[in-house]
Amino acid sequence: MSKTKIDEINRNVYDIKNADNYDFKMEKGLNKQIVEEISKQKNEPEWMKKIRLNALETYNNLELPTWGPDLSDLNMDDLATYVRPKSKLNENWEDVPEEIRQTFDRLGIPEAEKKSLSGVGAQYDSEVVYHSIKEDLLKQGVIYTDMETAVRDYPEIVKEHFMKCVPVTDHKFVALHAAVWSGGSFVYVPKNVKVDIPLQSYFRLNSPESGQFEHTLIIVDEGASLHFIEGCSAPKYNKVNLHAGCVELYVKDNAYLRYSTIENWSKNMMNLNTKKAIVGKNAQMDWVTGSFGSRVSMLYPLSILNGEGAKTEYTGITFAGKDQNLDTGFKVIHNAEHTSSVINSKSISKDGGACTYRALVRVNKNAKKSKCSVSCESLMLDDISRSDTIPVNDIRTNDVEFSHEAKIGKISDKEIFYLMSRGLSEEDSRAMIVRGFAYPISKELPVEYAVEMNNLINLELERKHRINFND
Amino acid sequence: MNNLLNIDNLYVKVGEKEILKGLSLQINKGETHVIMGPNGAGKSTLANAILNNPEYKKTDGNVEFEGENINNLSTDKIARKGVFMSFQLPQEIPGISVLNFLKFAKGKIENKPVKIFEFRDTVNKYAEELNINPKMLERNLNVGFSGGEKKKNEILQMLVLNPKLAILDETDSGLDVDAVKTVSKGIGMYKNNDNAVLVITHNMRILESLNVDYVHILVDGKIAKTGGPELIKEIEKEGFKKYKTTEP
Ligand SMILES: Nc1ncnc2c1ncn2[C@@H]1O[C@H](COP(=O)(O)OP(=O)(O)O)[C@@H](O)[C@H]1O
Ligand SMILES: [Mg+2]
């Protein structure tokens, strides 16, 4: 995460496992007793327990998606939905138990906090173990805390927003999430407050045969602005782990929210995540996403442009290697006049990995004078990898500017020859080209993550010696 | 040893098509060679074959550089031995600036780390001589460059990487008068008694300011004639007609 780690960073950082030392681990499976037990363990109010139990019913009534990657290896009977770490919520890193703290140290979180963040949340398995926010933001009324605290301290705000942006009935894993959710961050930025330095929440899943179901709820009030960063990783186990988080974002009139994600789950992870934003008048919602990890991902963030003049931009890159099937994309609904969306997606696949760009652009009848431009490019590094583009465009008015561009390609031999004629080895040349392909996306990521992403690319290209071309 | 490049009876295929058919050529230190020939004669093929572009298959003959057979040496190793090629169509590489690319390549060619401050000064100095806007050095390599900018950037790379043999494949084609002057100025700055240059061109103008030692006429995959600068005038007047054996 930090610049100084350029040369040492390697997969090990993500792969170091701690012993499965928990304070409480729910028995495997999913049923009413288990959901009630989670609620009891968390000592929650009755209304939240009701939401959970209703969601469980919805879950039982919904079918698995009939499209997309194969999910047949996922069996809820093999997973523990709640694992409470041996740590309470802390405000000082010193108070976080040694073993857990070391994990976040290795990931560079406390260091990044000192340098470039104005607040940090860190979740380990099912609970947040650390949360902090700078004094001056507190004074301006900014709230940044874990979801459990929010349920306890701000019940009215939570009731009004929780599972309202993402309805429980959306799909099976949203219902699952609502039934067993735990952890995650809550952010409220009051009217006209500009949070100039980002907040970051990091999610680490250590426990084998378990799931992580954190809930992130962010409200950026009128005229306010925020950059929120989300990171996630897990060490690799032989059996399936599940991540079914949910992110609900409310961007009020004239507000700005940038939501950056670097996802580096281990390759036994089923990542079935849901993210949505409701965007108000003249407000802007920007998504920046780098997806590298997981065995299967199904993730399609959605911006609903509800206010006149609302804007959204999606900038995302997906990198699928051996045994990975990453099905990602973006959805936007234009639901008011003069709204605009810019979608810029790239994918890289290698060693038999599969990337699918699955997207929806809907322009409603009332969204006259709107603009939408979509560009998706994929790069396949060999002949056994796959790349697909499945865009759905549902445009219900004529008064709209729409453009769509899709390219699927391979590294050209001409480019390799050009670079090699300047003394670069074939390996260096390929890495340089892949980085160049990713660059328009990586330059949008926070600096540390851009560095991390380049390192991940290098790792993925199985380089023996890592080089930083730009230093 | 004075000899840099020695090509002996070279045959090269692209796909199923034989392009070079028994081409021989010697280049010594200090010399300036020119290759002229009709379109499709195999001039670019020769340049690619010297740098062992895998698309171009050598079926017979030898390419030696400084006495070593480089027929099957990988392109990067040939480059590190001191052979440079200026491309007819330079590739666009996003994500890395011209300056950082040059620094990286220089480090590879010299096989030692580059001192950034000194290096930057050197690059800036050459850029100024070539009328290259310093801002171009910060732009992504060749991305969105005009034709002229790309060619000047090739010459800049040649100057910075300072090879023993520079092969310039139509570096002057499609350039306006001033840019052609800049390119030949660059060649002049590069050239000394220890290195050599092989200029592939159609343009007589670029040759005026160069001290040409040998002119080769490449027709139908072979050197049809080698002579001095006087050959340039002849070609200008009469074209390649009399050297053509078969019509393509
Ligand atoms: N990469 C290639 N693939 C197919 N044909 C090629 C390729 N490169 C060159 N050729 C063919 O080889 C012949 C010689 O080309 P080239 O060496 O580029 O000629 P010149 O540079 O003298 O104009 C031409 O007929 C050209 O079409
Ligand atoms: Mg040519």
Side-chain angles (χ1 to χ4, degrees), chain A residues 51 54-56 58-59 62 163 166-172 174-175 178:
Chain A
I51 293 179
N54 286 337
L56 179 65
T58 309
Y59 171 83
L62 286 173
M163 302 313 294
V166 178
V168 173
T169 50
D170 222 32
H171 60 79
K172 196 167 177 74
V174 164

Side-chain angles (χ1 to χ4, degrees), chain B residues 14 17 19 38-45 55-56 88 170:
Chain B
V14 183
K17 195 171 163 195
I19 314 284
N39 284 332
K43 302 183 296 296
S44 296
T45 301
E55 267 185 85
Y56 296 74
Q88 208 170 339
E170 303 210 21

